[in-house]
Structure formats: structure tokens, C-alpha cells
Amino acid sequence: MDKYVENDWKTQLYTLLDALPSDRVISYGGLARQLDGVNARMVARAMSNLPEGTTLPWHRVIRSDGQLADHAGVAEQRARLLADGILLQGNRVPKSYFL
């Protein structure tokens, strides 16, 4: 039963992520608040386990303070955000881009 529930929220998470506009970002907590019983750490863990080559816009999920999280793909994340037209201030996405 628990495995079914886990898969259910992840399916909802991926649906929300897929619908994220290309000119906007959202925080891990922002996604979690849209899912019952899910917290930001759970969202971050699910995001880190996305399969390589996924078409989901994982790069648009950032920390609530606008900073890009420290992870192996941060250079790619930065490049993808810039390609989406999201301008960064240092290593931070301005609040004007948040949903």
C-alpha cells in the first residue's frame, strides 16, 4: 500500500513539473505544498532520482531563496535556465520568475 501511495504522489509531482511554464521556476517546497503529505526533502529526493535524459524540466526547480542547489548538474541547470530566458543574478534566480 505505501509503495502505491508513494508512486501516486510522484506521478502527481511529475505532472506538475511537466506543466511548469518555460519562463517560470518553482521551489521544492512550492511543489510539495501542492501534494498531500509531501515535504520539500521528498521532492528533492524524487528530483535527484529522475532518469538521465528525462524530458521533464527538472532544471526549473530551485531552492526557495532562489539559489541553485549544489549538485553535480548545476552547470547544466544554469545553462538550461538561461536557454529558457531566465536570467540569473549570480547563482540566484530573481523572485520575479517564481510561480
Side-chain angles (χ1 to χ4, degrees):
M1 180 70 163
D2 289 341
K3 189 169 187 159
Y4 173 77
V5 171
E6 177 181 339
N7 289 336
D8 186 49
W9 75 259
K10 285 182 181 179
T11 299
Q12 292 174 29
L13 169 66
Y14 302 148
T15 300
L16 290 170
L17 185 58
D18 195 39
L20 190 60
S22 63
D23 61 345
R24 295 285 179 246
V25 297
I26 193 166
S27 69
Y28 297 98
L31 282 171
R33 283 188 291 278
Q34 297 181 51
L35 302 165
D36 288 335
V38 176
N39 63 45
R41 287 181 185 231
M42 294 167 69
V43 170
R45 191 173 308 116
M47 299 296 296
S48 70
N49 289 321
L50 286 173
E52 190 171 325
T54 183
T55 60
L56 291 172
W58 59 268
H59 61 284
R60 295 187 200 128
V61 183
I62 61 174
R63 293 177 14 176
S64 61
D65 65 0
Q67 292 282 344
L68 303 183
D70 186 25
H71 57 87
V74 73
E76 181 180 354
Q77 182 178 26
R78 173 183 284 281
R80 287 180 179 221
L81 288 169
L82 292 171
D84 285 346
I86 297 172
L87 303 177
L88 285 77
Q89 296 172 338
N91 200 38
R92 184 181 304 266
V93 175
K95 289 292 183 181
S96 60
Y97 290 104
F98 276 76
L99 276 182

